[in-house]
PDB file of all heavy atoms in Angstrom:
ATOM      1  N   ASP A 264      17.008   1.677 -18.318  1.00 97.00           N
ATOM      2  CA  ASP A 264      16.348   0.971 -19.418  1.00 97.00           C
ATOM      3  C   ASP A 264      15.001   0.472 -18.921  1.00 97.00           C
ATOM      4  O   ASP A 264      14.938  -0.397 -18.048  1.00 97.00           O
ATOM      5  CB  ASP A 264      17.207  -0.195 -19.912  1.00 97.00           C
ATOM      6  CG  ASP A 264      18.394   0.287 -20.719  1.00 97.00           C
ATOM      7  OD1 ASP A 264      19.455   0.561 -20.117  1.00 97.00           O
ATOM      8  OD2 ASP A 264      18.255   0.396 -21.949  1.00 97.00           O
ATOM      9  N   PRO A 265      13.910   1.011 -19.457  1.00 96.00           N
ATOM     10  CA  PRO A 265      12.580   0.626 -18.958  1.00 96.00           C
ATOM     11  C   PRO A 265      12.147  -0.722 -19.532  1.00 96.00           C
ATOM     12  O   PRO A 265      12.817  -1.288 -20.399  1.00 96.00           O
ATOM     13  CB  PRO A 265      11.694   1.745 -19.502  1.00 96.00           C
ATOM     14  CG  PRO A 265      12.353   2.128 -20.797  1.00 96.00           C
ATOM     15  CD  PRO A 265      13.835   1.986 -20.551  1.00 96.00           C
ATOM     16  N   ILE A 266      11.023  -1.205 -19.064  1.00 94.00           N
ATOM     17  CA  ILE A 266      10.387  -2.374 -19.665  1.00 94.00           C
ATOM     18  C   ILE A 266      10.005  -1.997 -21.099  1.00 94.00           C
ATOM     19  O   ILE A 266       9.486  -0.898 -21.342  1.00 94.00           O
ATOM     20  CB  ILE A 266       9.163  -2.805 -18.836  1.00 94.00           C
ATOM     21  CG1 ILE A 266       9.649  -3.295 -17.463  1.00 94.00           C
ATOM     22  CG2 ILE A 266       8.355  -3.881 -19.552  1.00 94.00           C
ATOM     23  CD1 ILE A 266       8.549  -3.565 -16.463  1.00 94.00           C
ATOM     24  N   SER A 267      10.248  -2.883 -22.034  1.00 91.00           N
ATOM     25  CA  SER A 267      10.262  -2.509 -23.445  1.00 91.00           C
ATOM     26  C   SER A 267       8.975  -1.870 -23.961  1.00 91.00           C
ATOM     27  O   SER A 267       9.018  -0.934 -24.732  1.00 91.00           O
ATOM     28  CB  SER A 267      10.616  -3.718 -24.309  1.00 91.00           C
ATOM     29  OG  SER A 267       9.688  -4.754 -24.091  1.00 91.00           O
ATOM     30  N   GLU A 268       7.836  -2.317 -23.551  1.00 89.00           N
ATOM     31  CA  GLU A 268       6.608  -1.757 -24.119  1.00 89.00           C
ATOM     32  C   GLU A 268       6.068  -0.560 -23.338  1.00 89.00           C
ATOM     33  O   GLU A 268       5.008  -0.023 -23.658  1.00 89.00           O
ATOM     34  CB  GLU A 268       5.517  -2.834 -24.203  1.00 89.00           C
ATOM     35  CG  GLU A 268       5.062  -3.369 -22.865  1.00 89.00           C
ATOM     36  CD  GLU A 268       5.838  -4.601 -22.419  1.00 89.00           C
ATOM     37  OE1 GLU A 268       6.999  -4.765 -22.862  1.00 89.00           O
ATOM     38  OE2 GLU A 268       5.299  -5.389 -21.623  1.00 89.00           O
ATOM     39  N   HIS A 269       6.794  -0.119 -22.331  1.00 92.00           N
ATOM     40  CA  HIS A 269       6.329   0.988 -21.497  1.00 92.00           C
ATOM     41  C   HIS A 269       6.640   2.337 -22.119  1.00 92.00           C
ATOM     42  O   HIS A 269       7.760   2.619 -22.526  1.00 92.00           O
ATOM     43  CB  HIS A 269       6.967   0.895 -20.115  1.00 92.00           C
ATOM     44  CG  HIS A 269       6.351  -0.153 -19.259  1.00 92.00           C
ATOM     45  ND1 HIS A 269       6.703  -0.339 -17.932  1.00 92.00           N
ATOM     46  CD2 HIS A 269       5.403  -1.069 -19.510  1.00 92.00           C
ATOM     47  CE1 HIS A 269       5.980  -1.320 -17.424  1.00 92.00           C
ATOM     48  NE2 HIS A 269       5.186  -1.779 -18.376  1.00 92.00           N
ATOM     49  N   ASN A 270       5.610   3.187 -22.176  1.00 92.00           N
ATOM     50  CA  ASN A 270       5.777   4.508 -22.767  1.00 92.00           C
ATOM     51  C   ASN A 270       6.257   5.550 -21.761  1.00 92.00           C
ATOM     52  O   ASN A 270       6.889   6.529 -22.119  1.00 92.00           O
ATOM     53  CB  ASN A 270       4.452   4.990 -23.371  1.00 92.00           C
ATOM     54  CG  ASN A 270       4.013   4.121 -24.525  1.00 92.00           C
ATOM     55  OD1 ASN A 270       4.827   3.670 -25.307  1.00 92.00           O
ATOM     56  ND2 ASN A 270       2.720   3.878 -24.620  1.00 92.00           N
ATOM     57  N   ARG A 271       5.901   5.357 -20.501  1.00 93.00           N
ATOM     58  CA  ARG A 271       6.238   6.349 -19.501  1.00 93.00           C
ATOM     59  C   ARG A 271       7.475   5.918 -18.720  1.00 93.00           C
ATOM     60  O   ARG A 271       7.630   4.742 -18.367  1.00 93.00           O
ATOM     61  CB  ARG A 271       5.082   6.565 -18.535  1.00 93.00           C
ATOM     62  CG  ARG A 271       3.926   7.318 -19.161  1.00 93.00           C
ATOM     63  CD  ARG A 271       2.997   7.863 -18.113  1.00 93.00           C
ATOM     64  NE  ARG A 271       1.999   8.741 -18.717  1.00 93.00           N
ATOM     65  CZ  ARG A 271       1.220   9.558 -18.050  1.00 93.00           C
ATOM     66  NH1 ARG A 271       1.316   9.624 -16.739  1.00 93.00           N
ATOM     67  NH2 ARG A 271       0.343  10.319 -18.655  1.00 93.00           N
ATOM     68  N   LEU A 272       8.311   6.903 -18.423  1.00 95.00           N
ATOM     69  CA  LEU A 272       9.523   6.645 -17.654  1.00 95.00           C
ATOM     70  C   LEU A 272       9.663   7.747 -16.616  1.00 95.00           C
ATOM     71  O   LEU A 272       9.523   8.934 -16.943  1.00 95.00           O
ATOM     72  CB  LEU A 272      10.744   6.602 -18.576  1.00 95.00           C
ATOM     73  CG  LEU A 272      12.075   6.185 -17.950  1.00 95.00           C
ATOM     74  CD1 LEU A 272      12.948   5.467 -18.980  1.00 95.00           C
ATOM     75  CD2 LEU A 272      12.827   7.344 -17.347  1.00 95.00           C
ATOM     76  N   TYR A 273       9.915   7.359 -15.384  1.00 95.00           N
ATOM     77  CA  TYR A 273       9.977   8.291 -14.263  1.00 95.00           C
ATOM     78  C   TYR A 273      11.342   8.215 -13.593  1.00 95.00           C
ATOM     79  O   TYR A 273      11.945   7.149 -13.496  1.00 95.00           O
ATOM     80  CB  TYR A 273       8.930   7.940 -13.204  1.00 95.00           C
ATOM     81  CG  TYR A 273       7.505   7.899 -13.683  1.00 95.00           C
ATOM     82  CD1 TYR A 273       7.001   6.785 -14.342  1.00 95.00           C
ATOM     83  CD2 TYR A 273       6.645   8.971 -13.443  1.00 95.00           C
ATOM     84  CE1 TYR A 273       5.685   6.748 -14.776  1.00 95.00           C
ATOM     85  CE2 TYR A 273       5.327   8.935 -13.874  1.00 95.00           C
ATOM     86  CZ  TYR A 273       4.856   7.821 -14.535  1.00 95.00           C
ATOM     87  OH  TYR A 273       3.545   7.789 -14.957  1.00 95.00           O
ATOM     88  N   TRP A 274      11.779   9.344 -13.078  1.00 96.00           N
ATOM     89  CA  TRP A 274      12.964   9.396 -12.218  1.00 96.00           C
ATOM     90  C   TRP A 274      12.532   9.895 -10.837  1.00 96.00           C
ATOM     91  O   TRP A 274      11.771  10.881 -10.720  1.00 96.00           O
ATOM     92  CB  TRP A 274      14.025  10.340 -12.784  1.00 96.00           C
ATOM     93  CG  TRP A 274      14.788   9.794 -13.938  1.00 96.00           C
ATOM     94  CD1 TRP A 274      14.601  10.063 -15.268  1.00 96.00           C
ATOM     95  CD2 TRP A 274      15.898   8.891 -13.877  1.00 96.00           C
ATOM     96  NE1 TRP A 274      15.526   9.384 -16.034  1.00 96.00           N
ATOM     97  CE2 TRP A 274      16.332   8.654 -15.200  1.00 96.00           C
ATOM     98  CE3 TRP A 274      16.589   8.251 -12.838  1.00 96.00           C
ATOM     99  CZ2 TRP A 274      17.411   7.818 -15.520  1.00 96.00           C
ATOM    100  CZ3 TRP A 274      17.643   7.421 -13.152  1.00 96.00           C
ATOM    101  CH2 TRP A 274      18.045   7.219 -14.474  1.00 96.00           C
ATOM    102  N   TYR A 275      13.051   9.203  -9.807  1.00 96.00           N
ATOM    103  CA  TYR A 275      12.796   9.575  -8.427  1.00 96.00           C
ATOM    104  C   TYR A 275      14.128   9.630  -7.688  1.00 96.00           C
ATOM    105  O   TYR A 275      15.109   9.003  -8.066  1.00 96.00           O
ATOM    106  CB  TYR A 275      11.929   8.531  -7.712  1.00 96.00           C
ATOM    107  CG  TYR A 275      10.503   8.431  -8.206  1.00 96.00           C
ATOM    108  CD1 TYR A 275      10.173   7.586  -9.263  1.00 96.00           C
ATOM    109  CD2 TYR A 275       9.485   9.147  -7.588  1.00 96.00           C
ATOM    110  CE1 TYR A 275       8.859   7.477  -9.703  1.00 96.00           C
ATOM    111  CE2 TYR A 275       8.166   9.037  -8.009  1.00 96.00           C
ATOM    112  CZ  TYR A 275       7.869   8.199  -9.069  1.00 96.00           C
ATOM    113  OH  TYR A 275       6.563   8.090  -9.491  1.00 96.00           O
TER     114      TYR A 275
END
Side-chain angles (χ1 to χ4, degrees):
Chain A
D264 286 88
I266 294 172
S267 58
E268 64 268 25
H269 284 185
N270 295 322
R271 288 197 172 194
L272 187 149
Y273 303 81
W274 284 100
Y275 292 88

